[in-house]
DNA sequence: ATTACACTTGCAACATTATTGCATTTAAGT
DNA sequence: ACTTAAATGCAATAATGTTGCAAGTGTAAT
């Protein structure tokens, strides 16, 4: 991944190496998600692409396809809306991290500094089988 | 709460002391939830009450009303469906516990033996503000 | 027991989020 | 340029949840 590569080229490359065609809709979608610090809903992606007038079904299908190819992660954060974020190709295979959703304002944040600890060893399911952690509550803004 | 009290009487009492009218639909709903070891969706409650032929809007409204009166807890467990469970009037005011949802079979379990621990102190939001914890993954049944 | 009335219900319409079918268009290899 | 499987636009559909309103009912006062 060349450091001189711009966002457009990066997105195109990402899509192509996933075995998908680099269409304008996909490139634009990936650029939007790349510039976001937290996962975005379909509606949020659509809003940022409104000038391109891409059909909502197309955006949904592209998001779904990119999830299937492990380019994006789809998370269900508890407010009945899917959110999508780019999977960073970092050190760990399982770089999934907890997410926090504010029940007041709906803001979402990625939490890299929280870990889980099991009190007793009794219960099923085991923590090893946990693939996603969602915390809900009141963010600092909403006190 | 008399130990001889049957489920019907218990439900009626619970509803009345919440300041609501003890209608057949509400009593039946509470009895169903009382007999369940994990939170139930609206659809699951409806299924168990199908012989009573209660309108779905009524069930939704009753569930919502009982949540407003702190008789039930409504949880968003990440699969875009609300779930409802009875709030046990036990020791702690905040007796909310983490829930686990299997992404394969959809089963839900209440986890009483898991606690959260924060790695660093940097991040917002603080854990004190977290009101709900949801774990998603693969249950023991689904390996 | 009867009555009165606010609370509750049933029904249908509506809202939101997401998915699917199909004809048309397009990306990309040749 | 040509070819074709992949992708898109559009409209219909599904699933979950909400709302308006007329009719029915639980409760308490009489
Ligand atoms: Mn994240
Ligand atoms: Mn529970
Ligand atoms: Zn907030
Ligand atoms: Zn399972």
């Amino acid at each position: 991944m060349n450091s001189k590569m711009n966002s457009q080229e990066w997105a195109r490359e990402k899509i192509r190496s996933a075995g998908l065609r680099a269409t304008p809709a996909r490139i634009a979608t990936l650029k939007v998600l790349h510039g976001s610090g937290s996962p975005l809903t379909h509606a949020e992606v659509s809003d940022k692409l409104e000038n391109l007038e891409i059909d909502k079904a197309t955006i949904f299908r592209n998001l779904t396809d990119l999830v299937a190819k492990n380019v994006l992660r789809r998370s269900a954060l508890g407010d009945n809306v899917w959110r999508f974020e780019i999977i960073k190709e970092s050190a760990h295979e399982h770089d999934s991290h907890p997410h926090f959703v504010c029940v007041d304002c709906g803001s979402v944040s990625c939490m890299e500094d929280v870990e889980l600890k099991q009190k007793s060893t009794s219960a099923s399911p085991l923590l090893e089988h946990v693939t996603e952690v969602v915390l809900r509550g009141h963010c600092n803004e909403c006190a």
Side-chain angles (χ1 to χ4, degrees), chain A residues 28-114:
Chain A
T29 297
L30 220 50
K31 282 166 74 178
V32 163
L33 289 174
H34 194 238
S36 172
S38 58
L40 299 181
T41 66
H42 165 266
E44 288 165 343
V45 173
S46 286
D47 284 350
K48 306 215 176 198
L49 300 181
E50 64 176 347
N51 52 323
L52 298 181
E53 292 185 1
I54 304 168
D55 191 81
K56 74 186 172 102
T58 297
I59 298 180
F60 264 120
R61 277 189 283 226
N62 283 341
L63 290 170
T64 300
D65 292 345
L66 288 167
V67 168
K69 298 293 188 179
N70 284 308
V71 174
L72 301 182
R73 177 186 304 113
R74 185 179 82 163
S75 301
L77 303 188
D79 54 356
N80 298 1
V81 181
W82 297 121
R83 279 183 176 75
F84 303 85
E85 68 184 334
I86 289 174
I87 297 178
K88 289 174 185 166
E89 31 195 330
S90 52
H92 316 85
E93 175 77 18
H94 305 287
D95 73 333
S96 175
H97 47 263
H99 288 101
F100 176 89
V101 184
C102 177
V103 298
D104 300 316
C105 67
S107 68
V108 174
S109 26
C110 304
M111 306 182 75
E112 313 281 358
D113 63 340
V114 174

